């Protein structure tokens, strides 16, 4: 099937030996996470990016707990927890006084990795470091300009005229994705807001640097988030200001900075905030868009190439990295011939509903923040503030932002479960970072064993037959771990590389596990 009509000069490549298993287009967080996860599972990758080199600045500066867990499983967390702010709070002000402080935390969801205030550029640097350790690099200044697929692979054309033959093409190239356009995948949606001004500034801010701060205003909100810069005093802040009145006329860095200086006292009511200079500025509008499909044949979309939404709530990076981790283990099984390519359809089935929910929630939050009608102002002041001050509402908000709650129990891989939950994870649920024991007796964490492999959790002395069945269908990358259930029942759990429960059953049910694996890895439909 021809992805783009401009590739007529390329000869039939059906029988050509691929240059790489997967061509990843885009070296942002989603693309790098996908590449690292694939390399961990023995899949060859090539990463290309049209940019001349790594970005030193970024719009995203918060990584919620689910994203930190992904980095942990990939071995890419590095020193980010030490370099970032981890005690995350967001304080909202009314009439010059703090009205609400929301704290982001675990809330009993069993993670060893907290949310981080950290630059996207720093996260990408750690992912690049890890990718290099795994034996792959990035071709900077290299754009994909055309592609054609057939029943055996994809032939991509680069901007210098070279061709790349791959088995699968992954579009991780952002909201203006070339891969998505070449595949003819629609990206419907709407613009939600007028301009926001964004600036990283060195400033004297007489507020707590343990968290972010927000000032609602009838003309639009003002947000300030602390940032760390290695080797400098702790005076770096990110300002984001909604500016429907003046944003269209503001372009250059100095214009953005002067406009923000003018808006600071108007929006915050404070005259003691002093901005020294800007490190980086930008102007953007918020859009909401969702791809019609995440897969077209051998072309797959990941992250912002598949969905974009408001930055309020910091859901962009964590959602894109979750996409990457979900896709990687499935694509690895297909590449290694251990699964039919129809397994890749479960990627969209599991991840697209999550993106739909994120788009809905961030759209609502944005409209409530920027709406300037009397009704919106009334809701912000008289309804939302009292509600948000309630501990139960704050816990729910923090839990939603973390994405630790994400489950695929309604997806196609969770069908046929026989057990009630009884306080235990159900098929498709995220499994907490449990303490476990390796066969040699050393202690470990569950999530430290994942990423590159599956895990079969079994009480001591159980699971030999189950392990044989699992490795017979998934390959040798299945770790055997001892754990003791706290529920008084001898159960075995098969956990996916992305920390979701694949299967749960009894000690005599190895044949049922084998049947589930056969049905899941080789679904009876074409890819």
């Amino acid at each position: 099937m021809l992805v783009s009509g401009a590739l007529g000069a390329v000869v039939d490549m059906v029988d050509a030996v691929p240059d790489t298993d997967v061509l990843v287009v885009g070296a942002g967080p989603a693309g790098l996470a996908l590449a690292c996860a694939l390399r961990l599972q023995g899949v060859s990758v090539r990463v290309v990016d049209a940019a001349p080199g790594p970005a030193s600045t970024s719009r995203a500066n918060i990584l919620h707990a689910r994203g930190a867990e992904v980095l942990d499983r990939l071995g890419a967390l590095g020193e980010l927890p030490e370099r970032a702010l981890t005690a995350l709070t967001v304080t909202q002000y009314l009439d010059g006084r703090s009205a609400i402080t929301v704290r982001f935390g675990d809330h009993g969801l069993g993670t060893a990795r907290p949310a981080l205030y950290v630059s996207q550029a720093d996260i990408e640097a750690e992912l690049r470091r890890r990718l290099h350790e795994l034996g792959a690099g990035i071709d900077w200044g290299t754009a994909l300009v055309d592609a054609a697929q057939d029943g055996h692979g994809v032939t991509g054309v680069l901007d210098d005229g070279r061709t790349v033959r791959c088995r699968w093409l992954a579009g991780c190239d952002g909201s203006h994705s070339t891969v998505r356009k070449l595949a003819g995948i629609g990206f419907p949606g709407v613009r939600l807001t007028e301009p926001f001004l964004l600036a990283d500034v060195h400033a004297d801010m007489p507020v707590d640097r343990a968290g972010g701060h927000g000032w609602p205003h009838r003309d639009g909100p003002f947000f300030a988030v602390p940032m760390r810069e290695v080797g400098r005093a702790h005076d770096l802040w990110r300002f984001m200001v909604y500016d429907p009145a003046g944003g269209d006329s503001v372009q250059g860095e100095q214009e953005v900075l002067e406009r923000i200086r003018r808006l600071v006292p108007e929006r915050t009511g404070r005259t003691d905030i002093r901005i020294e200079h800007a490190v980086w500025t930008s102007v953007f509008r918020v859009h909401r868009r969702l791809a019609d499909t995440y897969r077209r044949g051998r072309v797959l979309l990941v992250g912002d190439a598949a969905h974009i939404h408001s930055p309020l709530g910091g859901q962009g990076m964590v959602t894109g990295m979750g996409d990457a981790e979900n896709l990687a283990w499935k694509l690895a099984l297909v590449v290694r011939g251990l699964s039919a390519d129809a397994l890749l359809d479960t990627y969209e089935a599991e991840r697209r509903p999550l993106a739909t929910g994120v788009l809905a929630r961030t759209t609502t939050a944005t409209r409530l923040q920027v709406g300037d009608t009397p009704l919106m102002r009334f809701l912000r002041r008289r309804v939302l503030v009292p509600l948000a001050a309630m501990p139960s509402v704050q816990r729910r908000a923090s839990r939603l932002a973390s994405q630790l709650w994400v489950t695929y129990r309604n997806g196609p891989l969770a069908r046929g479960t026989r057990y009630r939950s009884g306080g235990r994870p159900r098929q498709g649920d995220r499994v907490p970072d449990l303490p476990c024991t390796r066969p040699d007796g050393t202690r470990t964490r569950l999530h430290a064993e994942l990423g590159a492999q599956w895990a079969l959790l079994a009480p001591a002395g159980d699971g030999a037959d189950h392990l044989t069945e699992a490795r017979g269908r998934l390959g040798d990358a299945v770790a055997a771990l001892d754990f003791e259930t706290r529920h008084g029942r001898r159960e075995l759990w098969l956990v996916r590389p992305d920390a979701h429960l694949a299967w749960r059953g009894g000690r005599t049910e190895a044949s049922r596990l084998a049947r589930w694996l056969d049905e899941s890895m080789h679904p009876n439909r074409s890819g």
Side-chain angles (χ1 to χ4, degrees):
M1 181 182 73
L2 199 65
V3 174
S4 172
L7 202 57
V10 177
V11 297
D12 183 8
M13 301 287 285
V14 170
D15 296 323
V17 176
D19 301 303
T20 187
D21 290 326
V22 182
L23 176 62
V24 176
V25 180
L32 292 170
L34 177 64
C36 287
L38 289 170
R39 288 298 302 130
L40 277 171
Q41 298 180 63
V43 177
S44 64
V45 299
R46 182 175 178 183
V47 182
V48 299
D49 195 296
S56 59
T57 59
S58 57
R59 290 182 180 178
N61 67 334
I62 181 170
L63 185 69
H64 286 290
R66 174 67 178 241
E69 283 194 349
V70 173
L71 292 179
D72 183 28
R73 289 189 286 270
L74 296 179
L77 197 57
E79 298 179 352
L80 290 178
E82 290 73 33
R83 297 173 57 186
L85 298 170
T86 57
L88 268 64
T89 64
V90 175
T91 300
Q92 290 271 345
Y93 297 82
L94 282 179
D95 301 324
R97 291 182 291 183
S98 60
I100 317 162
T101 298
V102 178
R103 291 172 174 80
F104 295 102
D106 186 345
H107 297 305
L109 292 171
T111 182
R113 301 303 176 190
L116 305 172
Y117 270 138
V118 61
S119 166
Q120 178 179 324
D122 289 341
I123 292 169
E124 291 174 359
E126 287 295 339
L127 283 164
R128 290 193 302 272
R129 174 194 60 77
R130 181 58 172 149
L131 185 61
H132 178 74
E133 288 179 351
L134 294 168
I138 303 165
D139 293 339
W140 295 107
T142 304
L144 181 78
V145 296
D146 212 341
Q149 64 173 303
D150 51 59
H152 297 266
V154 182
T155 302
V157 179
L158 305 178
D159 55 355
D160 61 2
R162 290 177 297 160
T163 61
V164 180
R165 181 68 176 172
C166 57
R167 289 188 171 92
W168 298 91
L169 173 62
C172 310
D173 47 345
S175 59
H176 300 290
S177 171
T178 297
V179 173
R180 187 187 63 241
K181 294 170 184 175
L182 289 173
I185 297 173
F187 200 43
V190 296
R191 192 178 82 184
L192 295 178
T193 72
E194 296 304 315
F196 274 90
L197 308 181
L198 193 65
D200 292 348
V201 300
H202 290 284
D204 181 10
M205 287 279 291
V207 294
D208 188 359
R209 281 186 59 87
H213 304 267
W215 289 267
H217 190 275
R218 65 176 298 157
D219 296 328
F222 182 100
F223 300 100
V225 177
M227 300 181 68
R228 280 193 174 180
E229 189 176 31
V230 176
R232 289 189 64 99
H234 291 177
D235 65 348
L236 185 63
W237 290 84
R238 169 156 295 177
F239 288 171
M240 187 168 73
V241 191
Y242 187 51
D243 190 23
D248 279 321
S249 61
V250 175
Q251 298 296 328
E253 178 177 299
Q254 197 59 36
E255 289 179 298
V256 172
L257 187 60
E258 289 305 317
R259 179 66 177 166
I260 289 177
R261 281 193 173 114
R262 192 156 51 247
L263 291 175
V264 165
E266 294 178 17
R267 301 292 177 86
T268 69
R270 304 189 65 138
T271 58
D272 54 356
I273 297 175
R274 299 282 185 269
I275 299 175
E276 296 179 16
H277 64 274
V279 176
W280 172 71
T281 66
S282 181
V283 180
F284 70 95
R285 292 173 174 81
V286 174
H287 290 76
R288 179 191 68 196
R289 298 187 181 277
L290 181 63
D292 289 335
T293 181
Y294 283 19
R295 178 191 178 197
R296 180 147 293 165
R298 291 179 172 270
V299 179
L300 299 131
L301 302 180
V302 182
D304 287 354
H307 45 75
I308 56 171
H309 48 79
S310 170
L312 298 185
Q315 297 293 285
M317 267 198 299
V318 66
T319 305
M321 291 167 65
D323 289 347
E325 191 181 35
N326 182 287
L327 175 60
W329 68 263
K330 298 171 182 178
L331 194 51
L333 287 174
V334 172
V335 167
R336 291 157 56 198
L338 295 171
S339 174
D341 64 7
L343 176 65
L344 299 177
D345 293 332
T346 70
Y347 163 58
E348 178 175 335
E350 290 187 337
R351 294 299 297 178
R352 198 169 187 273
L354 171 67
T356 301
V358 169
L359 264 66
R361 289 190 295 274
T362 56
T363 296
T364 299
T366 300
R367 285 174 171 162
L368 286 171
Q369 286 280 2
V370 305
D372 61 355
T373 66
L375 174 60
M376 288 298 187
R377 292 195 293 271
F378 173 81
L379 287 174
R380 279 197 296 265
R381 181 174 289 270
R382 301 300 180 187
V383 178
L384 295 181
V385 169
L387 279 176
M390 298 172 62
S392 60
V393 174
Q394 293 195 12
R395 284 193 298 272
R396 176 170 172 76
S398 178
R399 185 176 184 273
L400 279 173
S402 75
Q403 291 202 17
L404 298 177
W405 57 271
V406 169
T407 180
Y408 307 130
R409 63 173 60 170
N410 295 320
L413 297 179
R415 61 186 181 277
T417 183
R418 291 171 45 189
Y419 288 98
R420 295 182 179 178
S421 176
R424 300 178 295 279
R426 290 172 54 183
Q427 279 183 289
D429 288 353
R430 168 189 166 274
V431 180
D433 197 8
L434 301 169
C436 300
T437 305
R438 299 189 185 100
D440 64 4
T442 58
R443 302 289 292 174
T444 185
R445 295 183 294 110
L446 171 61
H447 289 195
E449 302 296 319
L450 300 174
Q453 60 187 351
W454 299 62
L456 181 68
L457 305 186
D462 290 346
D465 292 341
H466 297 72
L467 185 62
T468 298
E469 298 290 359
R471 287 180 173 171
R473 289 158 176 81
L474 301 172
D476 292 335
V478 182
L481 300 173
D482 292 345
F483 88 126
E484 293 294 334
T485 177
R486 295 190 296 271
H487 302 279
R489 182 172 183 167
R490 296 179 73 86
E491 284 190 335
L492 295 93
W493 298 357
L494 180 65
V495 184
R496 301 169 6 172
D498 60 359
H500 284 262
L501 184 65
W503 180 89
R504 194 182 98 205
R507 58 191 299 189
T508 62
E509 296 184 305
S511 61
R512 191 170 70 84
L513 170 60
R515 185 166 59 253
W516 179 85
L517 285 167
D518 288 338
E519 293 173 352
S520 299
M521 299 303 107
H522 298 276
N524 292 321
R525 62 176 188 262
S526 60

